[in-house]
Amino acid sequence: MTTRATRGPRRRTVVALAVILAVLAAFVIRLVDIQVVSADDHVEDSLQVGQLGSTVPLYGSRGSIVDANGTLLASGVTVYDAVLDPKVIKLLENADTPPKVAWSDAADQIATITGQDAEEIRTGVAETLAADPNSQYYPLKKGLSTEKFLELRDLGFIYLHMKPRETRVYPNGAVAGNVIGYVDSAGVGQSGVEKLEAQCLSPTSGERTYLRGKDGNVIPGSDRTVEAQDGGSVQLTIDSDLQWYLTQMIAEEAQRMGAQSGTVTVVEVKTGKIRAAAEWPSLDPNDLNASSPDDWGTKLFTHTFEPGSPFKAITAAAVLDSGAADLNTTVSAASRETFSNGAVINDAFVHGAENYTLAGGLIDSSNVTLSKFGEMVAPQVRFDYLQKFGVGEKTVGFPGEEPGVLHPASEWDAQSLYTTTFGQHFTVTAPQLAGAYQAIANGGEKIDLSLIESCTNHDGDVVKPDAPEREQIVSESTADTVSRMLENVAVQGGLSEMIEIPGYRVAIKTGTGEVPDGNGGYKQGVYFTSMVGFAPADDPQYVVVVTLDQPTKVVSSTATASAFQQAMTQVLKTYRVSPSTVPMDELLPKFK
């Protein structure tokens, strides 16, 4: 029988036990909350407190650049910088128990792998120790491949250390090097596609954060990693095989002609895609010091020039498209004439007054003839056509690309009112010239040029640029008529035999542009020569532009004939373009 006296202590015991269990339950619940429910939040907070947390950056690799066929043009590669610890070498050599491989023999083994002189390594280590007996740093060799890294690692020398780093390599060297560009020591694009497509190519860094205990071990559950993301892969429209050939060819031709530089641009007529952009002097991004800093960029997109005679075809297009003249219209033109406003215009050759047709003016490349046809159209109308054909506008937004200079028609003076009809008083780049002729070859439809095919990001998603803009800038009949006249230039002009490609009908126009002297005038006796054309003339597929800057062996546009013929021939072979099957129309008369 329980008495009142015994019930009191028992009740207190039960209450105390209940309190203890409640407290324990509260601790357990809180512990579960801390270590399970809110563990991630607490770990994240702890990593931000004092010096308890450690953060290690993680780096992704820069993306690659490939050509239209997937051929690798630029990539990130891991290399290793090897260093020696002279102090450890000395301690081992002076130890009571010598190492298995003496330092002298070890230097021989190391040198065999790195390709260095063993005696130089031994001398270098000795001199480092003489200068500082406690030195732990002697640079052995930088940029070792993974294969060399593994060979050195397998030697097992504790005083040999190798630190990895990423470097940029360009497997094809100078092939498209000027266009691809280069990166600085931090891996940041400095020119070319490396800069143009930085957003696609650049990796995204990650990090690893964790906590260490007093023993130095990582505390379980504290390790958090945000993975780095590699950069995307950029695909160009360029064909590297064609680019290689044209780079070699223009280098030979430019030097043979004594020119300061030379370029070749190839554009696909139906798409506006740039299939080759070759130049000399060329740049090997693997070895910048092998080239002059002046050649670290590309002249194709950054060098402007007065195009000269190739833009006579644009004047012809404006005159025909506006209805001011047709193939039967003639003008009387001598080799030197003074116009009503006092302007004096000369031809490059002496001749008497002839009743020139528009085709004849192009075939003989008569400045006077084009000036007379050009004045049939209002200056503002001609200005508008020049704009439509791309003068004064960049092509692909290339880093450092120049838009050229096109003065408003209201600012044309008495002389430039006429010189603009034959390609003077405004400037263009080689791609702009190619773009203008693409429109003529494509039935009057101008397609914006493109150099980038796509970007494939780290997830494998392919991102393509916006489709190029298309605009019918002249009628199809106008473009066909101008094409016919340009084919007559190829057949009836003085360079017909030099630019002939058996089996193919070709349309061309040459250019001999004057070079500014920097003082408001022009240099005497030297010119910027060019030739632009497309083939097959009956079904145009490719436009080719060749330029030579101030050739000295031959100073006229004849200097570019051989290079153009070789370039166009190779383009037609590369893309297996079928020969012409439709015969040329009857020859157009030069005079009437």
Side-chain angles (χ1 to χ4, degrees):
M1 180 174 176
T2 304
T3 66
R4 180 177 296 178
T6 59
R7 284 200 302 270
R10 181 179 297 176
R11 183 177 297 163
R12 287 192 294 270
T13 300
V14 171
V15 172
L17 182 60
V19 172
I20 292 172
L21 289 175
V23 172
L24 287 175
F27 275 113
V28 169
I29 292 172
R30 182 57 178 159
L31 188 61
V32 170
D33 176 65
I34 293 174
Q35 294 192 342
V36 179
V37 178
S38 304
D40 291 343
D41 292 337
H42 292 303
V43 169
E44 187 66 28
D45 290 341
S46 68
L47 293 174
Q48 308 302 322
V49 179
Q51 300 298 318
L52 297 177
S54 296
T55 300
V56 178
L58 303 176
Y59 302 103
S61 297
R62 188 174 178 82
S64 59
I65 301 174
V66 300
D67 80 342
N69 303 309
T71 301
L72 189 65
L73 300 176
S75 66
V77 174
T78 299
V79 296
Y80 299 84
D81 296 335
V83 299
L84 294 169
D85 188 326
K87 182 178 180 180
V88 173
I89 293 173
K90 181 180 69 172
L91 291 173
L92 289 175
E93 289 298 297
N94 296 332
D96 295 335
T97 303
K100 292 181 180 180
V101 179
W103 163 237
S104 179
D105 295 333
D108 290 332
Q109 294 180 27
I110 292 171
T112 299
I113 295 173
T114 62
Q116 296 172 277
D117 182 270
E119 186 57 37
E120 288 185 4
I121 295 175
R122 286 189 286 267
T123 300
V125 170
E127 291 176 347
T128 300
L129 286 171
D132 180 6
N134 293 314
S135 175
Q136 294 183 281
Y137 177 78
Y138 173 75
L140 181 63
K141 193 165 186 178
K142 292 185 177 181
L144 293 170
S145 66
T146 300
E147 180 184 5
K148 297 295 184 184
F149 161 76
L150 294 174
E151 290 182 33
L152 289 171
R153 185 196 64 179
D154 290 344
L155 294 177
F157 300 145
I158 64 172
Y159 45 74
L160 174 59
H161 308 284
M162 289 169 286
K163 183 178 180 180
R165 63 178 171 87
E166 185 183 88
T167 189
R168 200 71 167 155
V169 296
Y170 303 87
N172 285 308
V175 176
N178 303 72
V179 172
I180 293 171
Y182 62 95
V183 299
D184 61 14
S185 58
V188 178
Q190 297 298 298
S191 71
V193 176
E194 293 279 24
K195 185 174 183 178
L196 175 65
E197 288 296 305
Q199 184 174 355
C200 175
L201 294 167
S202 299
T204 301
S205 298
E207 63 178 17
R208 179 192 177 200
T209 55
Y210 53 86
L211 292 174
R212 289 187 182 275
K214 291 184 177 180
D215 56 2
N217 294 324
V218 176
I219 297 176
S222 70
D223 200 334
R224 296 289 181 272
T225 300
V226 177
E227 298 292 346
Q229 294 179 352
D230 293 340
S233 175
V234 171
Q235 184 173 34
L236 307 182
T237 59
I238 284 175
D239 182 305
S240 60
D241 289 340
L242 177 62
Q243 180 82 16
W244 177 86
Y245 174 86
L246 296 178
T247 300
Q248 304 301 313
M249 183 276 293
I250 196 61
E252 293 175 2
E253 288 294 317
Q255 293 175 79
R256 185 171 71 87
M257 289 295 166
Q260 295 183 8
S261 63
T263 72
V264 183
T265 308
V266 179
V267 169
E268 195 169 69
V269 170
K270 307 300 182 184
T271 65
K273 293 180 179 180
I274 298 174
R275 294 305 187 185
E279 61 189 285
W280 176 84
S282 57
L283 169 71
D284 182 351
N286 295 303
D287 186 8
L288 293 179
N289 292 329
S291 302
S292 166
D294 293 337
D295 300 322
W296 287 4
T298 170
K299 290 182 173 64
L300 276 163
F301 294 97
T302 60
H303 179 72
T304 60
F305 55 93
E306 290 189 347
S309 294
F311 261 77
K312 289 173 180 172
I314 309 307
T315 298
V319 171
L320 292 169
D321 201 58
S322 62
D326 58 30
L327 286 177
N328 294 314
T329 306
T330 62
V331 296
S332 176
S335 57
R336 178 184 175 87
E337 292 204 18
T338 301
F339 286 77
S340 59
N341 66 356
V344 178
I345 303 298
N346 298 287
D347 282 348
F349 62 100
V350 177
H351 63 87
E354 300 280 1
N355 286 325
Y356 267 105
T357 62
L358 190 53
L362 290 179
I363 293 168
D364 282 354
S365 202
S366 168
N367 297 337
V368 176
T369 299
L370 267 295
S371 293
K372 291 197 170 186
F373 273 107
E375 67 179 351
M376 296 178 183
V377 180
Q380 185 60 47
V381 173
R382 285 200 291 111
F383 173 89
D384 292 341
Y385 275 103
L386 288 173
Q387 275 196 324
K388 288 180 181 180
F389 276 95
V391 181
E393 296 181 358
K394 297 179 181 180
T395 56
V396 298
F398 202 80
E401 180 177 1
E402 291 291 336
V405 175
L406 177 59
H407 302 283
S410 59
E411 297 179 5
W412 294 354
D413 61 17
Q415 194 72 15
S416 58
L417 182 67
Y418 295 103
T419 58
T420 48
T421 66
F422 49 87
Q424 290 186 0
H425 197 62
F426 61 88
T427 61
V428 298
T429 62
Q432 284 176 322
L433 181 54
Y437 271 67
Q438 175 276 327
I440 295 173
N442 196 41
E445 182 188 38
K446 191 175 190 303
I447 304 174
D448 284 351
L449 301 189
S450 58
L451 180 65
I452 306 300
E453 193 73 62
S454 65
C455 167
T456 303
N457 64 30
H458 69 281
D459 290 328
D461 297 330
V462 179
V463 181
K464 289 183 173 291
D466 294 337
E469 292 187 6
R470 296 168 175 261
E471 182 183 1
Q472 193 76 31
I473 59 175
V474 295
S475 69
E476 186 174 354
S477 61
T478 293
D480 290 345
T481 300
V482 175
S483 295
R484 184 182 176 191
M485 289 192 290
L486 291 173
E487 185 176 9
N488 273 263
V489 173
V491 173
Q492 298 189 57
L495 302 177
S496 59
E497 293 184 1
M498 296 184 68
I499 55 92
E500 181 182 7
I501 302 175
Y504 295 90
R505 291 167 53 187
V506 181
I508 69 153
K509 190 68 190 81
T510 60
T512 308
E514 294 188 280
V515 180
D517 60 9
N519 298 313
Y522 292 101
K523 294 182 180 180
Q524 297 297 313
V526 293
Y527 302 93
F528 190 93
T529 64
S530 62
M531 184 176 290
V532 55
F534 48 84
D538 47 315
D539 183 20
Q541 298 297 312
Y542 294 94
V543 172
V544 171
V545 176
V546 175
T547 72
L548 291 176
D549 187 5
Q550 302 175 58
T552 56
K553 299 294 179 61
V554 178
V555 298
S556 68
S557 56
T558 304
T560 58
S562 174
F564 177 87
Q565 196 275 345
Q566 293 178 68
M568 182 61 84
T569 298
Q570 188 61 38
V571 169
L572 297 172
K573 286 182 179 179
T574 296
Y575 292 105
R576 300 184 178 185
V577 178
S578 298
S580 299
T581 56
V582 179
M584 179 182 178
D585 292 335
E586 62 178 330
L587 296 180
L588 294 172
K590 294 197 300 182
F591 316 111
K592 279 194 174 182

